Amino acid sequence: QVQLVESGGGLVQAGGSLRLSCAASISIFRAVAMGWYRQAPGKERELVAQITSGGSTNYADSVKGRFTISRDNAKNTVYLQMNSLKPEDTAIYYCRASWGSTTYWGQGTQVTVSS
């Protein structure tokens, strides 16, 4: 069973930064895509950022210019650098990865941005 373990969440003031990490239990070299999603209370889970095996990225409009997704294949880890955080970024952030047609999710990490 593939495991994805997120870390790096926490409480930060508006305007601050956090870096989330997602460590996979297997090689991510051939992962079709890896991404970060978030779910705020009372809202549906939404895509925040995604990176493909070829390095292509896409972002939700709400985070463009503030968040950056990257991957380190040697460490089997995907990162989400979050800058200029806003209270509306408060949510549980989940890592998702796909190998072939199979998708896995991490357990989530809480990010809270105070105003």
Side-chain angles (χ1 to χ4, degrees):
Q1 180 73 4
V2 175
Q3 289 188 323
L4 301 174
V5 180
E6 301 103 332
S7 61
L11 173 64
V12 64
Q13 289 187 332
S17 298
L18 284 173
R19 188 176 81 155
L20 305 183
S21 299
C22 171
S25 60
I26 65 172
S27 171
I28 66 170
F29 180 74
R30 295 189 182 280
V32 174
M34 300 192 71
W36 289 94
Y37 289 70
R38 67 186 181 188
Q39 187 166 19
K43 294 188 177 181
E44 294 186 353
R45 192 172 297 188
E46 62 175 359
L47 173 67
V48 176
Q50 180 173 278
I51 185 166
T52 68
S53 58
S56 297
T57 59
N58 65 286
Y59 298 90
D61 288 343
S62 59
V63 307
K64 284 181 180 177
R66 300 188 297 123
F67 291 10
T68 302
I69 188 170
S70 61
R71 58 193 290 167
D72 185 335
N73 290 340
K75 295 183 177 180
N76 296 326
T77 301
V78 174
Y79 303 97
L80 184 68
Q81 178 66 44
M82 306 186 295
N83 299 327
S84 302
L85 283 161
K86 304 176 181 180
E88 51 263 43
D89 294 318
T90 294
I92 299 175
Y93 283 69
Y94 297 91
C95 177
R96 169 181 159 164
S98 299
W99 283 266
S101 61
T102 305
T103 298
Y104 300 90
W105 291 89
Q107 82 288 351
T109 185
Q110 176 71 46
V111 171
T112 302
V113 184
S114 63
S115 57

